[in-house]
Structures are given as structure tokens and as C-alpha cells.
Amino acid sequence: DVLPPLHVQPLRGQDRGQGGMYHKCSHRCDYRMCKACYEQALSRHYVLEPSTEAFPAGLGPFSLHRSALRKRELKPYDVVKRRPVNVFEGGTYALDASFLSRSKSLRGIKQVLNTNGLLQVCPAGFFPEVKGPGQCLSVLLSPAAFVNLPEPNRRAMSVPEGPGILVAWMYPLQLEWDVLAGDLDRVGDGSADWSLLTVGGFVYMREREPAEKDRPQTVEVLCANSVAYSPRGVINFSAAQPWQASWTEKFKKAGRFQKVTAQRWAAAGARYVAWVRPEESLVEPRSLHGGLAFLFHDLEEPDSGQDRMFEIVTALGGGYGPGGVAPGGSMALVPPQLQRSAFAFSLAGDPGLRPPALVARTGARFLQAASEARWALVGHLLGEWPHLANEIDESGQTVLHKCAALRLPGGHTSTNLLTMLHDAGASIELKDAAGSTPYDLGDQIFKAMVCHIWGLIPDLFAEPDLWFDCWDKNSDGVLGPSELIPALAAAYRVGDLGRQWIETYVHTHYSEIAPGARLTKDIMLGDKGLLHLLQSSEEFISLRDQEELGASKMPAIFHTEGRKKPTSFDKKQVEAFSSRVESLKTHHGWVPGKPPPANARPLEVRAPFAG
């Protein structure tokens, strides 16, 4: 009853709420793995829940921002091929170049496009408001589909009222922004118009008359909304759903995968994006309300197993609600109290092109979001602006200081955020104005996560609990000899000679420091446990200093006062004996510290020596 796996693991019951849960399956697994769930999905009997994970595990939420696009400025007409476009098939639309005069940044784009011959000449009367021949820009739209969202979602997303409303995704301009940037005074101003052209957005239209044999289709474009990231956005998505290679081939043939232009997605490895329209016929089961699919490889490369789709979820988040999107300028499109929540996507590869004022403003908002424990927003900004990892405020604190002081919520959110900070080069040792590092300010949970992600080793005597957990590699609550030897060697920072001494000591005394051959945390931290021994033992206290003096000064494993020093012959004998013991251990599976075999006999050896 199991379909061929598509690089996805079945979801467990406790994973409910992460998206992709199908309520009629008692196993609560993914429909692309389970035949029973697959059949239910075909019948639309499934439940998708919004995900709050950061990309690429999740997507969004998105806020919507009404662009200044006017009616009759966008036409489903291919100017190059001089033929109308069927909106249900998608293709190249003609955008009136007057749209590019609405802001300073757009006027810069228009000038660059005109200079590079990327604007087409339109015949007289093509756009009613333009007298004589005009200019237009070719933009790509996905196949349109009828909006099938519930009424509350339609109101929240400001979908035009009335029956027969169609929605299509307008892909971003596929331009070499890094090449053209030298001709632009600035890149981006956060406006809805700019985002629509550089990241994409939703175009809404109404079909006036369907196509007939002797009459072309008549469609009226109503408006266009760009998207921005907002933790309180009105569009929520499911967790990442597996994407099949066979679907990729169908979308490729239709020209529906276009290059990713948003820095947040590109930084996570996404290469191409496609809009999956509501009731999409090229995927099975069909996506009910549509979504976005991402490829993490070039179009000619094989599926890497990372491709995924995010379906729109009808559950509303803490968004703007009805009337939250209104005509106007950039941040005037959302209620004032939520203006600080929405961030326009930045162009991939353009950090050096961003205006200095925007860089400074974003840095301040990044630290403010961290101060308010708005971790989802912090993660999004960090993905687009990785240099902010070591941005400091007036008290000298970075976002890592704030993560430590404000206590992260735990779970995937904490791990993902700290991993992003580590990958972005955040310093765990940077001190604030009070002389505290993030590690100093954190609790035990924070310190444990930092030690794991940064590869740090807790101090044996200052944080023995964390030290034990750090070296308990298999998390069984016991430090065996193979774990204790490197742990002590790292704690005392010894070289090869010191490590040999510790190895001999542990193998010889493990049964004494670990009753029952199990060194648990309680035993180690007990009154007469290993920690007490290490703090009071002269041999271990002097070990680090003597390491630098060589073998002649290494502490003795046994007290051998009054006996002769070992000769070179003795050393060769011991080396031969050690080699033989190692061979026997390997052959018979003997483990140091464990009870000996029943037929073992005590063996008297000469007095041992350090090393």
C-alpha cells in the first residue's frame, strides 16, 4: 500500500501542525507516501496547516501590497509575435512603459531598459491612454485560474469582488541585475511597483468574453499585488511538500520555471521558481488553492531531491484582515501599526548595490526585531542581509547577545536561527559594553546549543553538566572509555604524549571511577566521583604543565617510588605487549572497562610507566 518514496519521510503523529497532514489516515503520514492518503487527497479530503518554519523548510507568510498598475496598462498580447495570449495558457503580456515612470527607481530601470533595447514599440492606440505609438515591456505571466479561495481569505487578500475573477502569477523580469546595476543610481526603494517587477506578484483579471471560433478572448486586467515577507502576513503556506521530477519536465516544457531573483530564496540554494495555479492539472493530486514550487538545481540537471512545493493554506494568520491592502505608496499599503512587520524582498546578489540609508535602516530594524524577540523576522532579514550577524547596537550587543538574554523559544526555530547566525559568521566571543559575551548571558539550554553548533567545548570544571552532555556522543547517559579519553585530553589540552598517558590511565582505572563500568553524570558529579578526583588529583592538576616538559616529567599512573626506572628494553617489551593486547581486543571483541571473559586469568605485569 505504499507508493514509491519521493525523498520524504512519513510524518509522525506529534508532527501535526507542520503541514501535509491528512486527517483520514490513522498513521498521519504524507499522501505522497501512503496509498490511503493519496486516494483521500484525490478526493480533496485532506487538511493543510500553515508552517512557521523558515525557508526552505517553510515559506512566508506574505503580506500583499497593491501596485500602481492601472486598468488597461497590462494586456495579454505578445508584441514580438504580434498575437494575443490565451490567459489560461499563460505567456508574454505587454506592460505599458508609462508604468515605469511611477517612482525614481522605476524610472532608472526604464532608462536602462531603453538604453539596452529591451523596450518594444507598440502600435498607435494599443494602450488607450497613450496617443500615437508607445513603448511597452514584455512580462511573463503564468496560466490564469479562477480564484477559489474562501470569502474571508479573498477579503483579507483584497481580491477584487465579483464572480469570474482570475489570478495569475507575474514572474520577475529575468534581467542580469548585476550587469545593469552600474547604470542605476540605486537599486530598489521597497515600493510595491519595484517588488512586482523584481520579485513577482499576483495579477487579478476578469474574463469578459471567452474565446470563440471567430472571436478572441476578452480579458480585463484589474490590479496587481506584490508580495513581501511579514510574520503577520495574510498568505500562509504549508510546510515543504515533495515535488516530483515528472512535474518539473511538464513545467519546463511550458516555460513556467523562471530564475529566482529574491536573495532570501537564492541564499538557501533555490534556483528556479514556478507558480502552481489553483486546481493545477500538471500535478497530481492537484493543488487546491495554488502555491509556489522551487527547484534547487539548474533546469538541465537531474533532480537533487531538494525540490519542493509550498501550497497556499486558507487558515488566516495574524494578518491585516479585510481592507488591509489599499492603493497608495509602499508602506501606506498596510495599517500603520503593522508597517514595521513587512519587508520587501531584496534582489539576489545585490548587497553592494543597496543604498547606504537602506542598509543603516535595515540594520536598526534587525536589532530592534531581536530586542522584541521577533525571531521569525530576524531569521528572514538575516537570510537576505547576512552581514547583520555581527551588527551591534549602542550597548555593543549583537543579535546573539539578545538571543542569549531573551531566551529563544526552543525547537527548530532556535536551532535554525543559531545555525544561520553561525553560517553568517556571528562571533560567539564578541563582548558587549559590559564585557559579556553571548555565551556568558545564556542559560544552560542556550549554551548547549551554541556548543553544538559552534563546535565549542564547555569548561569541565565551570560547566561539568554541559561538558558531560557534549562528550556523550551517543546520548546514552554514560561516558565510556572511548568518549572519556578524548574528553579529558581536550579538557587538559594535551598533545599526543599526554593523550597516551590519559588513555593508559582511563583503561587502568575505569572500573574504579565508574562502578559497574558505567560512568554516568550522577557518578561523575558525586562527592567522590571523577570530578572530585580531577580537582584533587596532583597528577591531573600538574598534567598540563608537565606535558610541555616531555616524557621524563609525565605523572606516574601508579606510585612506583623506590623502583628502578624502566630501561629501553623494558619499553620495547611493553610496546610489544601493548600491540599484542590490541590485536587480542580486536580479535575477541574485548572492551576496556567491561567485565572480562569467564575464562580470563589474572596476569601479573611489570610496574607500568607513563605513556
Side-chain angles (χ1 to χ4, degrees), residues 543-570:
L543 178 60
R544 187 180 303 173
D545 294 334
Q546 291 176 338
E547 163 74 13
E548 300 176 356
L549 301 178
S552 63
K553 296 295 183 180
M554 290 296 291
I557 296 175
F558 295 101
H559 293 289
T560 57
E561 292 84 359
R563 302 190 182 184
K564 67 181 184 70
K565 294 182 179 180
T567 65
S568 59
F569 175 79
D570 294 330

Side-chain angles (χ1 to χ4, degrees), residues 574-610:
V574 172
E575 289 174 357
F577 175 78
S578 298
S579 176
R580 179 60 177 158
V581 169
E582 290 299 321
S583 176
L584 290 172
K585 287 197 299 184
T586 302
H587 179 73
H588 295 286
W590 297 342
V591 179
K594 298 290 184 181
N599 60 348
R601 292 181 299 166
L603 193 64
E604 184 176 352
V605 253
R606 296 185 180 185
F609 59 93

Side-chain angles (χ1 to χ4, degrees), residues 273-312:
V273 61
W275 169 248
V276 181
R277 60 180 170 175
E279 302 286 352
E280 178 64 65
S281 60
L282 298 185
V283 301
E284 191 70 23
R286 298 184 177 187
S287 173
L288 185 57
H289 300 297
L292 288 170
F294 291 86
L295 301 183
F296 287 72
H297 55 86
D298 285 335
L299 293 179
E300 303 307 320
E301 294 178 344
D303 180 10
S304 61
Q306 296 179 292
D307 301 342
R308 60 200 63 199
M309 175 177 66
F310 303 92
E311 298 186 43
I312 286 182

Side-chain angles (χ1 to χ4, degrees), residues 101-387:
S101 301
R102 304 280 160 77
S103 69
K104 182 178 179 180
S105 59
L106 291 183
R107 286 192 292 272
I109 290 181
K110 182 179 180 179
Q111 182 178 353
V112 171
L113 294 175
N114 205 20
T115 302
N116 289 272
L118 298 177
L119 293 179
Q120 289 88 34
V121 177
C122 300
F126 185 77
F127 292 108
E129 297 181 2
V130 178
K131 296 180 181 180
Q135 288 183 309
C136 64
L137 175 66
S138 294
V139 294
L140 182 65
L141 269 72
S142 72
F146 288 103
V147 176
N148 61 358
L149 292 167
E151 189 58 32
N153 295 85
R154 293 171 67 111
R155 292 198 305 269
M157 295 168 61
S158 289
V159 176
E161 297 181 357
I165 301 299
L166 298 166
V167 62
W169 177 261
M170 179 171 160
Y171 287 97
L173 296 180
Q174 301 291 295
L175 302 178
E176 298 295 335
W177 292 104
D178 290 342
V179 176
L180 299 177
D183 298 326
L184 293 174
D185 293 333
R186 56 185 298 198
V187 176
D189 56 7
S191 71
D193 300 332
W194 169 267
S195 295
L196 183 66
L197 292 178
T198 58
V199 178
F202 296 100
V203 174
Y204 295 100
M205 58 192 89
R206 178 184 287 112
E207 184 182 34
R208 285 183 169 180
E209 296 178 343
E212 294 184 1
K213 186 175 182 180
D214 56 347
R215 187 185 64 203
Q217 178 188 50
T218 303
V219 172
E220 178 186 22
V221 174
L222 302 175
C223 62
N225 292 338
S226 69
V227 298
Y229 172 80
S230 173
R232 305 181 68 180
V234 295
I235 302 183
N236 290 281
F237 294 87
S238 70
Q241 301 294 314
W243 179 262
Q244 296 189 23
S246 60
W247 300 344
T248 300
E249 291 302 317
K250 296 176 183 178
F251 274 64
K252 278 171 53 180
K253 290 179 181 179
R256 293 176 58 180
F257 270 113
Q258 298 293 307
K259 288 184 179 180
V260 166
T261 57
Q263 170 67 15
R264 181 66 184 91
W265 304 336
R271 307 292 292 276
Y272 288 85
V273 61
W275 169 248
V276 181
R277 60 180 170 175
E279 302 286 352
E280 178 64 65
S281 60
L282 298 185
V283 301
E284 191 70 23
R286 298 184 177 187
S287 173
L288 185 57
H289 300 297
L292 288 170
F294 291 86
L295 301 183
F296 287 72
H297 55 86
D298 285 335
L299 293 179
E300 303 307 320
E301 294 178 344
D303 180 10
S304 61
Q306 296 179 292
D307 301 342
R308 60 200 63 199
M309 175 177 66
F310 303 92
E311 298 186 43
I312 286 182
V313 177
T314 54
L316 286 171
Y320 307 142
V325 180
S330 171
M331 293 311 295
L333 304 180
V334 299
Q337 67 271 24
L338 299 179
Q339 288 180 7
R340 290 162 51 242
S341 297
F343 277 82
F345 289 96
S346 300
L347 275 173
D350 71 345
L353 308 176
R354 297 165 183 167
L358 176 62
V359 174
R361 187 167 63 250
T362 303
R365 295 178 73 180
F366 175 72
L367 291 171
Q368 182 65 27
S371 299
E372 297 171 357
R374 298 159 68 195
W375 305 122
L377 185 55
V378 169
H380 172 77
L381 289 175
L382 187 64
E384 291 206 331
W385 306 69
H387 73 279

